[in-house]
Amino acid sequence: MPRDAVLDASAVLVLLQGEPGADHVARCIPGALISAVNLAEVVGKLADAGMPGDQIELALSSLGLRVVPLDAQAAYEVGLLRPATRTRGLS
């Protein structure tokens, strides 16, 4: 059984802005997760770029991402992934 993808803010922005790699992110979207912290970052970046709030909400809700909270335990688990993901350019 495949695992759900966990997307960070940069992956979602690549997809929404049609940047190189968007096709790869698009393949990960069905069943994908995003932390509420990363979702807030995406919303902030899109708002900084001048996108109105209703359009931001529409664009993001259309992706069907499952938003999950980030509690202290999850933050430690994510942080400890850093050494294993650094070579792939993940933040």
Side-chain angles (χ1 to χ4, degrees), residues 7 12 17 20 28 30-32 48 54-55 65 73-74 83:
L7 302 178
V12 175
Q17 297 170 350
C28 298
D48 281 347
D54 59 338
Q55 288 182 8
L65 299 173
Q73 181 61 41

Side-chain angles (χ1 to χ4, degrees), residues 8-81:
D8 69 357
S10 62
V12 175
L13 291 167
V14 160
L15 177 66
L16 292 176
Q17 297 170 350
E19 297 174 2
D23 57 333
H24 179 71
V25 177
R27 288 191 299 271
C28 298
I29 289 294
L33 310 173
I34 187 168
S35 77
V37 173
N38 280 290
L39 180 62
E41 184 179 351
V42 172
V43 171
K45 294 286 188 181
L46 294 174
D48 281 347
M51 184 181 275
D54 59 338
Q55 288 182 8
I56 293 171
E57 190 170 352
L58 180 62
L60 292 172
S61 65
S62 72
L63 297 177
L65 299 173
R66 191 166 39 146
V67 181
V68 295
L70 187 71
D71 60 17
Q73 181 61 41
Y76 280 104
E77 291 174 16
V78 168
L80 292 172
L81 288 173

